[in-house]
Each structure stands twice: as C-alpha cells, then as structure tokens.
Amino acid sequence: MDKKIVLGITGGIAAYKGAELTRLLVKEGFTVQVVMTEAAKSFIMPLTFSTLTGRPVYHTLFGGPHQSSTLHIDLARDPHLIVVAPATANIIGKAANGIADDLLSTVLLAVRLEKYPVILAAAMNTAMLHNPAVRQNMSLLRRRGFIIADPLAGELACGEVGEGRMAEPEQLLSLIKRTLAKRDDYGGVSVLVTAGPTREPLDPVRFFSNHSSGRMGYALARAAKERGAKVYLVSGPTSLEPPAGVEFYAVATAQEMYDVTLTLFPEADVVIKTAAVADYRPASASAHKLKKGEELQLRLVHSPDILQELGKRKKKQFLVGFAAETADLLISARSKLEQKNLDIIVANDVMQEGAGFEKETNIVQLLYRDGGAEELPLMSKAELSHEILDRIKACRQH
Ligand code: CTP
C-alpha cells in the first residue's frame, strides 16, 4: 500500500505500543513519518522509530537537523492519514482547544480533515478519562470530525484496573485500513442531508420550534463529505458550524426547507432527512408583536411533509428518513417507512438514556424497506453516521 501516514507518539506508557504499530504499518507497506513529543522521548527512544521506519523522527518545531522551518505545515499538507498513538489527555486537550506549543500539536492545528482522516488513540488513567474536561475535549474533537479510538478496559500502568488502556496495535491497524478504504467510497455520489429544527413564526419575535440540535445531520454531512460525496446540507437554525466543503443552505421554516430540498432533489442520489420539521405552523403570522390579552387562541395548520413529497417523486434516489419517537417505536417507524416510500428509516426512542436531541451519542434501530431490522449499539453520532453510510452503500449495491 503506497500511502503516507504521519504517526504521532505522545508521552504515555503505551508509547511502546506505538513502536509495534509502526512495525505493523511498515510491514503493510505504508510510509510512516513519526513525530514525537518531548514527553514521549522519556518513554521510548527516537532511534527505535527511525530504525523501524528508515526515516528521521521529528520532535522539535524548529531547528532540527536538515529541518525546514515550515515542517509542521509540510507534515500536515499531504499525508493520507494522521494517527496519534498513544494520544494523552494533554494532546487531546491541546487539539481541542487550538493550542500549538510543540511540533505535534502544531501539526494537529494545521490538519485538513476534509482531505484526510485523523485518528487519536486515547490512552490514560481511568480518572483522567472520566474527567469532564477530557470528556468534553474528546466529544468536541469527535464533532469536528476527528476519529477517537476509545481506550479499552484492563490493567493500567498505575496498577488500577479500569478503562484507559490504548487500543491494541492490531486493532488500530485495522481501524486505519478501514478508515482509508472508506475515504473515497462515496466518490461521484450526491448526498442531500436536511438537519436541525424548523422555525414557524407567530409574530416578528416569537416562533414554534423543537429541541433538534442538528448534530446528527451535521455529522452525517461531514461523514459523507469525508467519504468523497458531493454534499448538500439544508439546515434549519442551529449553533453548529457547517462542515468544510459541503454546499450549505440555511433555511428557517418548513416551507423554505421544502422549497430548497425539492429544488436540489433531482441532483441527489441519496437523501437523508434528519431534520425535525415542525408539523404545524400558525395559520397566520402577525406582522406586529402580539400584545398580552385575556386569552390567546391559536389556529395551527399543517406544514408540508417534505419527505412524503420526496417519496412520491423519487426515481433513482435512495431515501432515508429519521423517526424520533417516545412510544411504539417500531410500529410508528415502520408505518412512516411505508407511507413515505423510504428505503431505510432510522428510528430512535428519544426517551432512552444516550439517545436524543442535544446528545453526542445515539442509540438507533434501522428498519429496511424489505422488512429487515437491525439494532445498533450506543455510539457517537459521528460513528453512527459512518454505520448508516455503510448500510446505504450496501443497499444501493444490491
Ligand atoms: N418529515 C418531513 N416533513 C415533515 C415532517 C417530517 O420531511 N413535515 C420527515 C423528517 O425529516 C423525518 C421523517 O419525516 O425524516 C419522520 O419525521 P417525524 O416527525 O417523526 O414524522 P411525522 O411524519 O411528522 O409523524 P409524527 O410527527 O406524527 O410522529
């Protein structure tokens, strides 16, 4: 495999496993460029890595022998993948917060996630792993598109038993190979994603909406982009940054989402509708702010069902709907799949722990057009996005 990998080694006891990972990668034919932090050198010698890779090991930002002053940019310019193994709480914190005070953290600040994946193989003591600051940094990085290889449970260097051990080198090698294989599998495919809530105005200062954060849709758009798709993201108001490289359309009401989505529909091969579209809107929106009175009676009318309309018009398109339910999950989701002429519906019980709107994680069941169903375990919305894209790919190939 003629691919270049930048391998970061940070200062944890699992640094020795980084040497084993290097050996496996070199054996697979990867060109491996190792970058070490100062602390990593307390655990393992650069000579180990330069011997394994046949290349110099970089560890200083400036002034190394024959080293360009823009080495950090050069390293981040064109690898096929960057992996940091082990990734300590410190490097994770720096990457999440934009701190660049050595070569590796500066390389991580210069990464281009839209061009290649970055894997961080977390390894630390259990208490550190469960520290809210570390958890927050990890979820922030996941949301931005970094892949975090979760540590395993087992015996730790500090003598404690718990979560924190770095994933084994063989597991990381297979994650690296899987990640690279997925990189272009959506090349030439147009994916249209709708995300977030809609807002239905009542007057110039008030609206009806819902708790959708847009996270699932943004994660799907990012994942599809990473895998080489042309991505259209039609989004209601959220606080999220649109992923780099997607064609972004900001909308507010269900009607606006309907108009934009239907215009883009003929271009799409795959449509994924994560948006939580308001089913009702006020029959009329007041031009002026409504004043307080005795009692207010509102008349609500239906907003258009976008997915239903797409189901009617569908030709080549593969349609994926989402169903957030609080009761009768499978029955409701199956009937939506049939009514809206979908290929897959992703059903989740929003009352369940770990699932739902404002969360980083989700637990879902996938229902297929042919009657099949599949339950997926709790996972991050980023990981779930890739699982969903894997299933869509498999169904479209049949
Ligand atoms: N949907 C849509 N337009 C609407 C309502 C829903 O496109 N006006 C889409 C959603 O994006 C989602 C799927 O339909 O992919 C299911 O949405 P949901 O709100 O669960 O279903 P409804 O058909 O609105 O049914 P109900 O609210 O009665 O459960």
Side-chain angles (χ1 to χ4, degrees):
M1 200 175 290
D2 183 22
K3 297 224 153 142
K4 180 170 152 199
I5 293 193
V6 171
L7 169 60
I9 307 285
T10 65
I13 182 65
Y16 76 92
K17 289 196 201 169
E20 175 61 8
L21 177 61
T22 308
R23 194 185 66 78
L24 294 174
L25 287 169
V26 170
K27 201 167 139 212
E28 287 281 332
F30 289 103
T31 302
V32 183
Q33 177 57 62
V34 172
V35 176
M36 296 180 79
T37 61
E38 263 315 294
K41 289 194 292 176
S42 305
F43 288 90
I44 188 163
M45 299 273 285
L47 183 63
T48 308
F49 293 104
S50 55
T51 308
L52 286 168
T53 62
R55 301 170 68 85
V57 168
Y58 295 121
H59 42 86
T60 55
L61 196 45
F62 304 113
H66 316 296
Q67 190 170 312
S68 119
S69 56
T70 55
L71 178 65
H72 54 294
I73 303 295
D74 301 341
L75 287 169
R77 185 168 285 135
D78 62 353
H80 292 91
L81 181 141
I82 296 182
V83 54
V84 181
T88 54
N90 186 41
I91 195 76
I92 287 170
K94 286 184 193 176
N97 293 286
I99 296 169
D101 63 354
D102 65 2
L103 181 60
L104 184 59
S105 53
T106 312
V107 168
L108 291 180
L109 201 58
V111 295
R112 300 177 193 187
L113 288 172
E114 70 283 8
K115 290 204 172 156
Y116 49 79
V118 179
I119 298 177
L120 305 176
M124 66 198 78
N125 163 275
T126 314
M128 291 167 78
L129 184 64
H130 290 289
N131 183 298
V134 175
R135 300 232 68 95
Q136 201 173 335
N137 288 335
M138 285 174 53
S139 65
L140 187 64
L141 288 171
R142 280 202 164 103
R143 244 184 288 143
R144 289 188 191 146
F146 285 74
I147 300 167
I148 305 222
D150 280 317
L152 312 171
E155 206 170 304
L156 304 176
C158 52
E160 290 176 20
V161 174
E163 256 178 294
R165 281 169 61 90
M166 187 177 90
E168 293 302 329
E170 290 78 11
Q171 291 172 311
L172 291 175
L173 176 68
S174 95
L175 175 63
I176 289 167
K177 290 207 295 195
R178 256 185 296 134
T179 305
L180 285 170
K182 275 183 189 167
R183 245 359 235 191
D184 291 317
D185 63 350
Y186 269 77
V189 180
S190 294
V191 178
L192 166 57
V193 181
T194 70
T198 64
R199 273 185 191 171
E200 311 301 327
L202 178 61
D203 69 16
V205 298
R206 302 183 178 94
F207 55 81
F208 284 92
S209 193
N210 56 62
H211 287 300
S212 171
S213 65
R215 287 198 177 123
M216 191 66 237
Y218 280 58
L220 270 159
R222 176 176 293 113
K225 179 72 205 158
E226 283 168 9
R227 292 169 72 156
K230 163 133 190 66
V231 181
Y232 304 94
L233 174 59
V234 182
S235 174
T238 73
S239 59
L240 306 174
E241 188 77 14
V246 310
E247 211 167 286
F248 184 70
Y249 297 84
V251 296
T253 63
Q255 186 62 49
E256 286 169 15
M257 187 173 276
Y258 179 92
D259 294 340
V260 175
T261 306
L262 265 81
T263 308
L264 294 171
F265 189 57
E267 311 295 323
D269 301 306
V270 174
V271 181
I272 311 177
K273 284 231 54 189
T274 68
V277 185
D279 288 325
Y280 294 95
R281 61 180 164 80
S284 61
S286 164
H288 297 286
K289 188 180 165 200
L290 294 173
K291 290 293 177 192
K292 216 176 7 237
E294 277 297 291
E295 193 177 77
L296 178 65
Q297 292 238 354
L298 285 178
R299 199 166 75 85
L300 300 176
V301 295
H302 275 295
S303 37
D305 191 320
I306 307 167
L307 196 48
Q308 181 110 33
E309 188 56 36
L310 299 182
K312 281 188 203 144
R313 298 190 186 195
K314 129 172 164 181
K315 292 195 179 82
K316 59 171 183 176
Q317 289 88 352
F318 191 92
L319 279 192
V320 181
F322 270 68
E325 308 287 350
T326 56
D328 298 329
L329 179 70
L330 295 183
I331 296 169
S332 306
R334 172 73 55 200
S335 95
K336 283 175 194 174
L337 178 137
E338 282 162 12
Q339 243 171 36
K340 302 191 186 197
N341 191 19
L342 308 180
D343 297 286
I344 298 181
I345 194 153
V346 182
N348 70 347
D349 178 349
V350 287
M351 310 291 269
Q352 202 176 349
E353 184 76 18
F357 290 126
E358 306 276 349
K359 306 273 170 44
E360 291 305 331
T361 55
N362 213 344
I363 309 178
V364 304
Q365 305 214 33
L366 302 182
L367 305 187
Y368 296 92
R369 193 184 179 81
D370 66 4
E374 186 184 6
E375 192 169 347
L376 298 180
L378 173 74
M379 59 181 92
S380 73
K381 288 183 175 171
E383 286 161 337
L384 177 59
S385 299
H386 284 289
E387 295 290 329
I388 292 172
L389 291 173
D390 288 349
R391 304 307 188 278
I392 296 173
K393 186 172 98 181
C395 291
R396 288 180 77 231
Q397 279 166 353
H398 276 113

